Amino acid sequence: QVRLVESGGGSVQTGGSLRLGCAASGLPYRNYCIGWFRQAPGKEREGVAHIYFGGHDTYVAESVKGRFTISQDFAKKMVYLQMDSLKPEDTAMYYCATDPNHTYCRGADPNFFNWWGQGTQVTVSS
């Protein structure tokens, strides 16, 4: 059974930092795509970043490039999203997700990912 658990959300002021973690278990392959997504109230879910776990390919959305960094700890089976210079518009529920049926990243479309964690809230105040 695939299981994803997010951690690290919270409330910060503008300009602050948070590091989100995604713990993955039950995946059938050694290498797979893990993505971070966010959804603010009344808005569609958007892809923030993804990484080919066990490899080197990464993607970061233009809206957060230069502020957010995605990384992995292969030994711990963790994927992290380091978020710096946070802005109020970064406020959202953040989810990690995976596509266990492919051993590569197909893209940032949330529809490519079919296993999701419960999410962690990030709130940035001005």
Side-chain angles (χ1 to χ4, degrees):
Q1 180 81 2
V2 177
R3 188 164 182 250
L4 301 171
V5 179
E6 301 95 338
S7 60
S11 298
V12 296
Q13 293 187 328
T14 297
S17 297
L18 285 172
R19 188 176 79 153
L20 305 183
C22 176
S25 61
L27 284 148
Y29 303 115
R30 181 179 175 85
N31 305 95
Y32 41 85
C33 194
I34 294 276
W36 280 102
F37 300 82
R38 65 185 181 185
Q39 188 165 21
K43 294 189 176 182
E44 292 187 354
R45 190 168 294 188
E46 65 168 329
V48 175
H50 61 248
I51 188 167
Y52 179 56
F53 189 78
H56 303 287
D57 291 343
T58 61
Y59 161 85
V60 179
E62 284 297 322
S63 58
V64 301
K65 193 168 286 185
R67 300 188 297 121
F68 289 14
T69 304
I70 190 167
S71 63
Q72 61 181 305
D73 184 325
F74 191 74
K76 294 182 179 179
K77 293 188 178 180
M78 291 289 296
V79 172
Y80 300 101
L81 185 69
Q82 178 67 41
M83 307 186 295
D84 299 317
S85 303
L86 283 162
K87 305 175 181 179
E89 51 263 44
D90 295 318
T91 295
M93 185 71 79
Y94 283 71
Y95 301 88
C96 68
T98 189
D99 172 17
N101 296 321
H102 296 83
T103 56
Y104 58 93
C105 289
R106 293 190 286 165
D109 188 335
N111 292 316
F112 290 153
F113 295 78
N114 46 19
W115 283 95
W116 294 79
Q118 294 299 305
T120 186
Q121 178 68 37
V122 170
T123 302
V124 185
S125 58
S126 57

